[in-house]
Amino acid sequence: MKVDGKDIRPIWLDEDLKTVKVIDQRRLPHEFVVADLETVDDIITAIKEMYVRGAPLIGVTAAYGVYLAALNAPDNYGETDYLIKECRRLKAARPTAVNLAWAADRVLSAVLNIENDAERLKAARREADAIAEAEAENCRNIGLHGLPLIEEIYRKKGNTTVNLLTHCNAGWLACIEYGTATAPIYTAFDKGLDVHVWVDETRPLNQGARLTAWELGKHGIKHTVITDNAGGHLMQHGMVDMVIVGTDRSTYTGDVANKIGTYLKALAAKDNNIPFYVALPSSTFDWQLRDGIKQIPIEERDPDEVRYVQGLNQGSTISVLVPPANSPAADFAFDVTPARLVTGFITERGVCKATEQDVRRLFPEK
Amino acid sequence: MKVDGKDIRPIWLDEDLKTVKVIDQRRLPHEFVVADLETVDDIITAIKEMYVRGAPLIGVTAAYGVYLAALNAPDNYGETDYLIKECRRLKAARPTAVNLAWAADRVLSAVLNIENDAERLKAARREADAIAEAEAENCRNIGLHGLPLIEEIYRKKGNTTVNLLTHCNAGWLACIEYGTATAPIYTAFDKGLDVHVWVDETRPLNQGARLTAWELGKHGIKHTVITDNAGGHLMQHGMVDMVIVGTDRSTYTGDVANKIGTYLKALAAKDNNIPFYVALPSSTFDWQLRDGIKQIPIEERDPDEVRYVQGLNQGSTISVLVPPANSPAADFAFDVTPARLVTGFITERGVCKATEQDVRRLFPEK
């Protein structure tokens, strides 16, 4: 996507084929910094500390992690379970995103049976590249399949502004191109539809205020940053036409794990008869779990993410402590929205209801 | 209430009878500063800029504002509409809290027919003092009437921790003593019940993280600060036994205006069969409006309240900018929770359902 006129992705392999480059998203929007990742440990740090975040991007980063493991492996490691162990370490970096394990395992299984170290390395790179390209293509298709939903509202409103609400960042920064939740919005905008996005700031890490607002602004899309508390009020008063969010893991039965607070927006959308869509590539479906609320592990992160807020002060990005220094805090990173509150999934193959039957109709091979 | 062993209220009239002293709540929790208010303009600034906030405290502050108007009035102003005009200016300071107009008008009507300036002044002070004392007593009674609700949960849980969730600050800082939403909690704690409070940080101004956490901590009550996004997840997983919030204005039909985001918590409570109570003195009832969502004016405040977050950095309270500098923001300060989501009101006269019939049963004189 374009940043100040230059094409960029949130992750790429450097020309030296030794360095994975990522936009350090912790520093956005006030600083644009590219970080160099050269080892599996670097990759794990980048995932844990959230240089990179968002289900598809976490997957691609883990895929390149397996490539770096192969690159930095001891000689003749093919006979050992070195790669399997490194892959296991990568998969433990964050518990909720299902793409992490999916992508790492995909690269691993593409190379495990190759005997020659150099060939194995080349195959790992090819597979990681292929995952990245496939995610970009998935997002492009999510945009195309989501577009008619926005067009229909636009038409019904007599070609006046369509107001969308999104939570967290499921934009191109979380993916490779277009984003998931944002793909239909970018596609509608590029087609000339008048769209405006309510951007939930998305506490505690403010991915909405920091990343989604930055992305949309760079693309020239009208948007307004709001507190996570505001969406219900806006929906009550007809100021939201549609909610679109991403997901870190969705069960094939329709339950949606996404950034903490998504469930509250889904409840408000239901209460006000507003369509609530979840956009995702099929790699984000969990084909094992039936009951998202009971079975999807919810990551608890460092409470200091709640206690401290990062922002710009006098030209520097710094953190401030909000509550009393001795007040405890808790940081639940995700919640699960039950299928009954989800109007539909927007996938790379089309739109379906959040039901086992309809998901399986689109993905019969699973 | 106690702060570091010393009895204090959020507002009092200085011994000189010329200065209204208030805790400057913008500076909490990292600094404890008392501000001197000497004119009606000072009072309006303190209300608008939120040195003071919370429905009952705004009312008491406005009451002392009418007293200061009388104190600083030109000679023989009794024949003019000077006081009426000053009162009107006071009432325009914030639109949502109904107590503001109620308290200002109460002092005004107590003195309008007094002919002597000195007598009029004395009567204004007496009436403002009386309103402050009545609010303190109301909160004490709200605590006593709310206590059995917590006791019942405590008993049902086999005398294990009762987990309460509250939004914003409806504590003693918002009132005079005890608070409204916190009154049953303080009362239960003082009686020896094991209580723990989930404190919504309450964006944008973080009254939960800054004020409620500070109050509860000073009183020794177990609490955990969470993002406003987290409550739904906690309720889904049985980690919340009861929600108690305050209100800035509630219709006699049961609709509740409170800090933005309250509606989302009420939806989540309903979805998980968790009792959702609203604690209020009867001065917060609006006896005119039937439909809260359509009729209660919702204040929109400066978007910079959303864009900047205040906290402690290297010993100083400063603000940081979170979203991109050129991203617009919007700041809706309140929302309205419809009566159908409210389990009950806890008032100074007892507990009632959020229905016109039951509210009128408790307050038949209205």
Side-chain angles (χ1 to χ4, degrees):
Chain A
M1 305 293 280
K2 299 272 184 209
V3 173
D4 302 329
K6 208 181 134 193
D7 272 314
I8 195 156
R9 286 180 166 186
I11 189 168
W12 67 97
L13 186 60
D14 193 49
E15 287 171 4
D16 70 3
L17 303 184
K18 289 179 179 167
T19 314
V20 176
K21 301 265 193 183
V22 296
I23 299 174
D24 183 349
Q25 301 191 23
R26 301 169 308 167
R27 314 285 283 274
L28 286 173
H30 305 301
E31 297 171 69
F32 185 86
V33 175
V34 173
D36 290 354
L37 312 177
E38 297 177 345
T39 65
V40 170
D41 284 328
D42 288 351
I43 294 276
I44 290 172
T45 301
I47 292 173
K48 269 197 193 210
E49 305 289 327
M50 299 177 64
Y51 299 36
V52 294
R53 16 72 50 210
L57 179 57
I58 287 175
V60 172
T61 308
Y64 282 113
V66 181
Y67 166 71
L68 287 185
L71 181 72
N72 301 319
D75 287 343
N76 301 314
Y77 66 96
E79 301 297 304
T80 72
D81 57 4
Y82 173 82
L83 262 192
I84 294 170
K85 279 185 184 162
E86 289 297 272
C87 193
R88 200 174 298 145
R89 286 212 298 138
L90 280 164
K91 292 196 287 186
R94 291 193 72 188
T96 307
V98 73
N99 301 57
L100 171 50
W102 170 84
D105 284 338
R106 190 173 137 179
V107 179
L108 185 69
S109 55
V111 305
L112 264 188
N113 294 324
I114 299 174
E115 286 183 12
N116 175 281
D117 282 4
E119 288 302 314
R120 201 183 300 113
L121 184 62
K122 209 182 287 174
R125 175 158 60 87
R126 264 200 316 265
E127 194 66 16
D129 286 346
I131 291 174
E133 292 311 316
E135 291 293 11
E137 183 63 14
N138 283 341
C139 289
R140 206 179 67 84
N141 284 318
I142 288 169
L144 293 175
H145 291 302
L147 173 64
L149 300 171
I150 298 177
E151 280 178 323
E152 193 191 336
I153 296 167
Y154 186 63
R155 235 180 9 251
K156 274 192 188 161
K157 289 185 78 175
N159 298 359
T160 58
T161 312
V162 177
N163 291 297
L164 301 125
L165 184 144
T166 192
H167 191 69
C168 199
N169 175 265
W172 67 259
L173 282 167
C175 304
I176 302 298
E177 303 268 6
Y178 309 101
T180 51
T182 55
I185 300 172
Y186 283 124
T187 309
F189 176 82
D190 290 346
K191 223 192 141 182
L193 273 70
D194 184 5
V195 292
H196 165 261
V197 185
W198 296 107
V199 178
D200 274 3
E201 60 179 1
T202 318
R203 289 280 297 145
L205 291 178
N206 293 315
Q207 291 94 336
R210 293 193 303 108
L211 306 178
T212 304
W214 181 81
E215 265 194 32
L216 295 174
K218 289 288 178 196
H219 204 82
I221 295 182
K222 283 187 290 183
H223 62 283
T224 306
V225 176
I226 50 172
T227 61
D228 302 310
N229 284 325
H233 170 73
L234 296 176
M235 294 187 212
Q236 277 180 331
H237 291 271
M239 291 188 273
V240 178
D241 297 307
M242 180 178 177
V243 181
I244 314 185
V245 299
T247 167
D248 295 78
R249 182 188 303 211
S250 286
T251 65
Y252 65 96
T253 55
D255 295 340
V256 173
N258 191 41
K259 180 63 23 114
I260 189 84
T262 302
Y263 166 51
L264 296 173
K265 292 303 137 61
L267 284 168
K270 187 76 166 185
D271 201 43
N272 294 283
N273 286 312
I274 291 164
F276 181 94
Y277 280 96
V278 178
L280 75 171
S282 56
S283 54
T284 305
F285 278 118
D286 186 316
W287 302 99
Q288 313 301 321
L289 305 186
R290 277 202 69 80
D291 184 330
I293 293 171
K294 287 198 183 133
Q295 296 179 302
I296 296 177
I298 297 298
E299 180 178 6
E300 265 197 76
R301 296 180 55 86
D302 185 343
D304 277 354
E305 289 187 350
V306 173
R307 300 170 73 238
Y308 289 85
V309 177
Q310 177 188 292
L312 191 70
N313 178 275
Q314 300 190 329
S316 303
T317 300
I318 60 167
S319 287
V320 295
L321 171 68
V322 176
N326 54 4
S327 279
D331 184 15
F332 301 91
F334 302 93
D335 63 22
V336 176
T337 299
R340 68 186 147 85
L341 302 178
V342 178
T343 309
F345 287 125
I346 309 172
T347 79
E348 73 272 20
R349 288 206 195 151
V351 175
C352 67
K353 288 186 205 152
T355 62
E356 177 174 357
Q357 194 185 8
D358 219 33
V359 170
R360 287 207 188 278
R361 179 184 58 77
L362 270 193
F363 300 94
E365 75 278 18
K366 294 291 179 181
Chain B
M1 304 293 280
K2 298 272 184 209
V3 173
D4 303 327
K6 208 182 135 192
D7 272 313
I8 194 155
R9 286 180 167 185
I11 189 167
W12 67 96
L13 185 62
D14 193 50
E15 288 171 5
D16 70 4
L17 302 186
K18 290 179 180 168
T19 314
V20 176
K21 301 264 193 183
V22 296
I23 299 174
D24 183 350
Q25 301 191 23
R26 301 169 308 167
R27 314 286 283 275
L28 286 173
H30 305 302
E31 296 170 69
F32 185 87
V33 175
V34 173
D36 290 354
L37 312 178
E38 297 177 346
T39 65
V40 169
D41 284 327
D42 288 352
I43 294 276
I44 290 172
T45 300
I47 293 173
K48 268 197 193 210
E49 305 289 325
M50 298 177 66
Y51 299 39
V52 294
R53 15 70 51 209
L57 179 56
I58 287 175
V60 172
T61 308
Y64 282 113
V66 180
Y67 166 70
L68 287 186
L71 182 71
N72 300 319
D75 286 344
N76 301 314
Y77 65 97
E79 301 297 305
T80 73
D81 57 3
Y82 172 83
L83 262 193
I84 294 170
K85 278 186 183 162
E86 289 297 273
C87 194
R88 199 175 298 146
R89 286 211 300 137
L90 280 164
K91 292 195 286 186
R94 289 193 73 188
T96 307
V98 73
N99 300 57
L100 171 50
W102 170 84
D105 283 339
R106 190 173 136 178
V107 179
L108 184 69
S109 55
V111 305
L112 264 187
N113 294 323
I114 300 175
E115 286 182 13
N116 175 281
D117 282 4
E119 287 303 314
R120 201 185 299 114
L121 183 64
K122 207 183 285 174
R125 174 156 62 84
R126 265 200 315 265
E127 193 67 15
D129 285 347
I131 291 174
E133 292 312 315
E135 291 294 10
E137 182 63 14
N138 283 340
C139 289
R140 205 179 68 83
N141 284 318
I142 288 169
L144 293 174
H145 290 302
L147 173 64
L149 300 171
I150 298 177
E151 280 179 325
E152 192 192 335
I153 296 168
Y154 186 64
R155 236 183 4 254
K156 274 192 186 159
K157 289 186 78 175
N159 297 0
T160 58
T161 312
V162 177
N163 290 297
L164 300 125
L165 183 143
T166 192
H167 191 68
C168 198
N169 173 265
W172 66 260
L173 281 167
C175 304
I176 302 298
E177 303 268 4
Y178 308 102
T180 52
T182 54
I185 300 172
Y186 283 123
T187 309
F189 176 82
D190 290 347
K191 224 192 140 180
L193 274 69
D194 184 5
V195 291
H196 165 261
V197 184
W198 296 107
V199 178
D200 275 2
E201 61 180 359
T202 319
R203 289 278 297 143
L205 292 177
N206 292 316
Q207 290 94 336
R210 294 193 302 108
L211 307 177
T212 304
W214 180 81
E215 265 195 32
L216 295 173
K218 289 288 178 195
H219 204 83
I221 295 182
K222 284 188 289 184
H223 63 283
T224 306
V225 176
I226 50 173
T227 61
D228 301 310
N229 284 325
H233 171 73
L234 296 176
M235 292 187 212
Q236 276 181 332
H237 291 271
M239 291 188 273
V240 178
D241 297 307
M242 180 179 178
V243 181
I244 314 185
V245 298
T247 168
D248 295 79
R249 180 189 306 211
S250 287
T251 64
Y252 65 96
T253 56
D255 295 339
V256 174
N258 191 40
K259 180 59 26 102
I260 189 85
T262 301
Y263 166 51
L264 297 173
K265 292 303 137 61
L267 284 167
K270 187 77 166 185
D271 200 45
N272 294 283
N273 287 312
I274 291 164
F276 181 94
Y277 281 95
V278 178
L280 74 171
S282 56
S283 53
T284 304
F285 278 117
D286 186 316
W287 302 98
Q288 312 301 320
L289 305 186
R290 277 202 70 79
D291 184 331
I293 293 172
K294 287 199 183 134
Q295 296 180 301
I296 296 177
I298 297 298
E299 180 178 7
E300 266 197 76
R301 295 179 56 85
D302 185 343
D304 277 355
E305 288 185 352
V306 173
R307 301 170 71 238
Y308 289 85
V309 177
Q310 176 187 293
L312 192 70
N313 178 277
Q314 300 190 329
S316 304
T317 300
I318 60 167
S319 286
V320 295
L321 171 69
V322 176
N326 54 3
S327 280
D331 185 14
F332 301 91
F334 302 93
D335 63 20
V336 176
T337 298
R340 67 186 147 86
L341 302 177
V342 179
T343 309
F345 287 126
I346 309 171
T347 79
E348 74 270 22
R349 287 205 196 151
V351 175
C352 67
K353 288 186 205 152
T355 62
E356 176 174 356
Q357 194 186 9
D358 220 33
V359 170
R360 288 209 187 277
R361 180 184 57 78
L362 270 193
F363 300 95
E365 75 278 19
K366 294 291 179 181

